[in-house]
Amino acid sequence: MNDLDPLAAFTALRTEEGEALLASLASYDPARELAVATRLRREHPAALVSAALGQARLRQRAASKFGDEDARRMFFTPNGVEQSTRRSVADHRAARFAALGVRSVADLCSGIGGDAIALARAGIQVLAVDRDPLTAEVARANAEALGLSALIEVRCADVTDIDTSPYDAVFADPARRGGRGRIFDPEAYSPPLSWAIGAARTRPHAALKVAPGIPHEAVPEDAEAEWISDGGDVKEAVLWFGTAPSTVRATLLPGPHTLSGRGLPNPPVRPVGRYLYEPDGAVIRAHLVAEVAEDVSGGLLDETIAYITSDEPRPVPFATAYEITDQLPFNLKKLKALLRERGVGNLTVKKRGSAVEPEEVRRKVKPHGPNAATVFLTRVAGAPTMLIGRPV
């Protein structure tokens, strides 16, 4: 067997020999790949061994997104691992569709099937469409591997040719990467966001996955915009149709914890209080800092910085609270002296509105000692400031 093209290599992995080879690599150590490859090539074609080792590597990478149990059974492509939806986020979206009473979804630009799997597990019938033959075959294999073939139909086609009228809802995930990396212009998505919005409006319900940096002015008035973070990392934004037009929300996973916009004005700027609240990235992207500030009876340190200060400790899921012990004008020598005096060796450096990099701060202050502290490099009413504290 000579070198195979990607589709032929994947087809070979689905044979009895390929499946057995993959199973033998379930716990392989990448550090020993050369020795493993040498041994396996004595018993199997070199191209099949290469394909199996590549798939084993992808499964290990995918475990952080899909969990060990699913990743060990699923199949992946490099782009599929990179671009597929994290399982927790896909499960959240599927739960929202199910709560809307949706029983069937046309999943356009389905990729390797991450969202289709979540939808099927929520009891929803799915048509998964992708124009790339290899990606479609991988999605079909994943539905089979997870026992979901009865609920997931995979079709290799251009999504613009699909009749979505038989389905309760549309989900679309336009490609946001090109030959030069990430695509930031929504009309440069593949297919363009305007096409996806048109497709969404043909069904009673729809969701469009978009980049979290989408400008608010690009959100249609008849859509709800939801920004989602998982474990503190902003993962995506979703435009929902047929739910709550013009609503803006931030959803934090695990939870979910959801904060909806209340149309509040910008919070006032006030002096530093005893507590600092660092809003989650999804809250910031959704422009809901004012809602968090109201919930903690706080204001802003600076009108341009998303740090909230308050005199009260009010735990909220949408921001991390810190008790502030010191406020100093920006001066690394003074910071070094203070940390030495406090015996701080475990130093966390956070910054907003400062050009100084955290690594530079740690290198210059040389923290040493048994205690821990967090330093915020920011601006207070326009002045470069250091705030020292600890998590509440």
Side-chain angles (χ1 to χ4, degrees), residues 180-235:
R180 297 183 178 179
R182 292 184 185 276
I183 296 172
F184 297 98
D185 176 9
E187 284 308 294
Y189 292 176
S190 180
L193 181 59
S194 57
W195 179 89
I197 290 171
R201 288 172 173 156
T202 66
R203 308 311 309 136
H205 299 290
L208 310 180
K209 178 179 172 181
V210 295
I214 185 173
H216 280 235
E217 55 268 24
V219 177
E221 289 186 1
D222 57 337
E224 167 202 327
E226 178 184 30
W227 278 262
I228 303 173
S229 69
D230 185 26
D233 293 328
V234 182
K235 295 301 180 185

Side-chain angles (χ1 to χ4, degrees), residues 112-268:
I112 62 170
D115 280 282
I117 290 165
L119 290 165
R121 283 174 165 166
I124 296 172
Q125 197 79 36
V126 185
L127 170 67
V129 183
D130 200 283
R131 67 182 179 184
D132 178 63
L134 172 60
T135 303
E137 281 302 315
V138 172
R140 189 173 290 111
N142 285 335
E144 180 182 326
L146 299 178
L148 299 170
S149 295
L151 286 168
I152 300 175
E153 175 194 348
V154 178
R155 193 178 301 174
C156 183
D158 191 309
V159 296
T160 61
D161 295 332
I162 298 299
D163 176 15
T164 60
S165 60
Y167 300 90
D168 296 339
V170 162
F171 171 64
D173 181 8
R176 299 185 299 282
R177 285 182 180 271
R180 297 183 178 179
R182 292 184 185 276
I183 296 172
F184 297 98
D185 176 9
E187 284 308 294
Y189 292 176
S190 180
L193 181 59
S194 57
W195 179 89
I197 290 171
R201 288 172 173 156
T202 66
R203 308 311 309 136
H205 299 290
L208 310 180
K209 178 179 172 181
V210 295
I214 185 173
H216 280 235
E217 55 268 24
V219 177
E221 289 186 1
D222 57 337
E224 167 202 327
E226 178 184 30
W227 278 262
I228 303 173
S229 69
D230 185 26
D233 293 328
V234 182
K235 295 301 180 185
E236 63 184 56
V238 184
L239 305 183
W240 289 91
F241 293 81
T243 54
S246 298
T247 297
V248 175
R249 67 167 69 197
T251 296
L252 280 57
L253 303 174
H257 303 284
T258 297
L259 178 68
S260 295
R262 304 194 287 269
L264 299 178
N266 291 334

Side-chain angles (χ1 to χ4, degrees), residues 95-115:
R96 284 204 67 183
F97 269 124
L100 291 168
V102 168
R103 307 310 304 160
S104 60
V105 171
D107 179 1
L108 309 179
C109 311
S110 61
I112 62 170
D115 280 282

Side-chain angles (χ1 to χ4, degrees), residues 40-128:
L40 292 176
R41 283 171 181 152
R42 298 190 191 109
E43 306 166 12
H44 304 279
L48 181 61
V49 171
S50 295
L53 286 168
Q55 193 61 227
R57 288 193 299 271
L58 291 173
R59 285 177 168 181
Q60 290 187 345
R61 283 175 53 196
S64 62
K65 271 193 175 183
F66 291 89
D68 287 336
E69 185 177 347
D70 279 357
R72 281 197 300 265
R73 294 188 287 167
M74 292 173 66
F75 297 90
F76 301 96
T77 64
N79 284 341
V81 172
E82 180 72 23
Q83 299 176 22
S84 58
T85 304
R86 182 175 292 268
R87 177 175 174 175
S88 55
V89 178
D91 287 347
H92 163 71
R93 183 164 34 246
R96 284 204 67 183
F97 269 124
L100 291 168
V102 168
R103 307 310 304 160
S104 60
V105 171
D107 179 1
L108 309 179
C109 311
S110 61
I112 62 170
D115 280 282
I117 290 165
L119 290 165
R121 283 174 165 166
I124 296 172
Q125 197 79 36
V126 185
L127 170 67

Side-chain angles (χ1 to χ4, degrees), residues 317-353:
F318 307 107
T320 304
Y322 297 83
E323 184 177 10
I324 299 302
T325 58
D326 299 271
Q327 176 182 349
L328 302 169
F330 181 80
N331 185 308
L332 291 183
K333 288 184 178 179
K334 290 183 178 180
L335 177 63
K336 182 176 181 178
L338 178 68
L339 297 177
R340 185 187 299 120
E341 177 187 323
R342 303 274 174 84
V344 172
N346 182 2
L347 181 66
T348 300
V349 182
K350 293 177 172 285
K351 70 163 203 165
R352 279 186 187 157

